[in-house]
Amino acid sequence: MALREHYECVVVEIDDDGIAWATFNRPEKRNAMNPQLHYDMEHILIELETEPSAKVIVLTGAGNSWSAGMDLREYFRETDNDPEAQYKSFMANKHWSWDILSNSRKPTIAMVNGYLFGGAFVPLANCDLVVTDEDAIYGLSEINWGIIPGGIVSKVIVDKMPFRNAMFYSMTGRTFDGKKAVEMNLADIAVPADKLRAETIALARELMEKSPVALAFTKQALRAVVNMDVPQSYEYLMTKIQALQFMDKEKTRARGMEEFLDNKTYRPGLGAVKREE
Ligand code: ACO
């Protein structure tokens, strides 16, 4: 299998920098996630995972919306009486937005360019980093539909947001903006709309300067220790750090030591200091 030229509900392109842009592409429906969008994302993310030219994956939306959540017509109403179709699309949703995204070895960034509602909180939470338009509108609107934040949304919001905020926004269904999303740990950086893309590219480039295998191991380590106690975390991290040295064929650690201790050409503690070649 390989990336297809065309997907019905998502546009995917890998630029010269190595940024893979996956853009939800149903702007006329505010990128509401229908079954086909889930099938497209499932295929795309699996392919990007093994595509060497894709160094960082960015998820964004076409038009004025990141995603208006699950498609109330196609994902819910039209499958209510079709258990087979419902099972397939629900599993595709879980597969890409939970299993594949949260286990990706590549850095993933959500670039939130507008509306973000309901079920879209799951892929948001499972991206490693989030850059948001400061005026993007977020909403846990499920209560307004007479449902609960299901499809694992309740779990991801209590994991990510302060509990009291999660309760407030889930019970009221009130919206909040990108600045507030940063305040509540749902996003990392909020910028004006006209700076969103440049900020995302700068962040992606910063990540591309790191060792890819060290980044992958860092992501795995942080995600794994969340569910461990302290003794388990020590044990796991000791093993993981040894495994990293084995996996890092570029010997980044040894090179860093040599540059810092012997050649004195590199000071990582001072931030993004350009390395001498
Ligand atoms: N499911 C299905 N269709 C949707 C959805 C959705 N979640 N969101 C928007 N659309 C459709 C609208 O029905 C409309 O379709 P139409 O042109 O065929 O009538 C089209 O997208 C444009 O929507 P508008 O409401 O006209 O766009 P506007 O820019 O005025 O508002 C907004 C955008 C705020 C996102 C609004 O569409 C909205 O509130 N959508 C619902 C958001 C929501 O509550 N999502 C959670 C769903 S539940 C869940 O995810 C578990």
Side-chain angles (χ1 to χ4, degrees):
M1 286 205 300
L3 277 173
R4 294 182 200 128
E5 289 279 315
H6 176 78
Y7 293 87
E8 213 176 295
C9 300
V10 182
V11 172
V12 59
E13 50 195 359
I14 303 171
D15 68 19
D16 293 343
D17 273 343
I19 305 176
W21 299 88
T23 305
F24 308 133
N25 192 34
R26 303 183 72 218
E28 72 292 350
K29 300 288 182 194
R30 306 303 180 258
N31 305 320
M33 296 183 179
N34 64 353
Q36 189 57 48
L37 187 143
H38 295 307
Y39 298 135
D40 288 355
M41 283 304 295
E42 199 177 23
H43 191 269
I44 288 166
L45 288 185
I46 289 175
E47 292 307 319
L48 289 178
E49 204 55 36
T50 49
E51 169 52 55
S53 65
K55 313 280 188 218
V56 174
I57 299 168
V58 176
L59 303 191
T60 191
N64 67 351
S65 185
W66 197 74
S67 170
M70 294 306 113
D71 188 306
L72 290 151
R73 184 192 305 278
E74 294 185 37
Y75 186 75
F76 287 127
R77 197 161 72 180
E78 286 180 4
T79 66
D80 276 350
N81 298 314
D82 187 345
E84 192 182 318
Q86 189 176 71
Y87 177 82
K88 286 179 179 164
S89 61
F90 279 31
M91 281 301 121
N93 174 17
K94 177 179 178 291
H95 193 206
W96 81 263
S97 69
W98 185 270
D99 303 329
I100 304 176
L101 199 52
S102 66
N103 286 302
S104 171
R105 294 160 301 175
K106 300 191 177 180
T108 55
I109 302 175
M111 183 177 89
V112 182
N113 55 301
Y115 294 118
L116 195 154
F117 283 97
F121 275 74
V122 176
L124 176 84
N126 282 327
C127 284
D128 301 318
L129 307 174
V130 180
V131 184
T132 180
D133 175 348
E134 61 190 18
D135 295 323
I137 295 177
Y138 295 70
L140 290 158
S141 57
E142 284 87 342
I143 192 70
N144 298 328
W145 301 105
I147 58 176
I148 61 169
I152 213 73
V153 175
S154 292
K155 175 71 178 149
V156 301
I157 59 171
V158 298
D159 282 352
K160 295 280 182 263
M161 297 167 78
F163 185 82
R164 193 155 287 289
N165 297 130
M167 192 63 93
F168 180 83
Y169 287 104
S170 308
M171 288 182 68
T172 62
R174 287 192 200 175
T175 57
F176 53 89
D177 66 15
K179 282 188 194 152
K180 186 75 189 171
V182 171
E183 242 179 84
M184 297 191 298
N185 295 333
L186 277 171
D188 298 293
I189 303 170
V191 291
D194 62 352
K195 303 221 163 28
L196 185 63
R197 199 175 164 89
E199 189 72 34
T200 305
I201 291 171
L203 181 59
R205 286 182 179 157
E206 185 180 338
L207 294 171
M208 282 191 260
E209 285 176 10
K210 319 283 183 202
S211 151
V213 64
L215 270 184
F217 271 54
T218 299
K219 292 174 47 161
Q220 289 160 359
L222 263 68
R223 287 182 193 275
V225 297
V226 167
N227 298 314
M228 291 181 195
D229 61 22
V230 170
Q232 286 170 332
S233 300
Y234 266 115
E235 184 61 27
Y236 167 85
L237 292 170
M238 288 292 283
T239 315
K240 193 80 180 161
I241 208 160
Q242 285 164 356
L244 173 57
Q245 285 186 51
F246 176 74
M247 292 296 291
D248 183 7
K249 305 298 177 211
E250 293 171 0
K251 304 284 174 223
T252 317
R253 180 177 180 272
R255 191 161 60 108
M257 297 256 188
E258 195 180 297
E259 288 173 352
F260 182 69
L261 296 174
D262 305 330
N263 307 339
K264 303 200 180 294
T265 51
Y266 185 49
R267 289 207 189 120
L270 295 182
V273 177
K274 193 83 194 139
R275 294 183 128 174
E276 287 174 21
E277 292 305 323

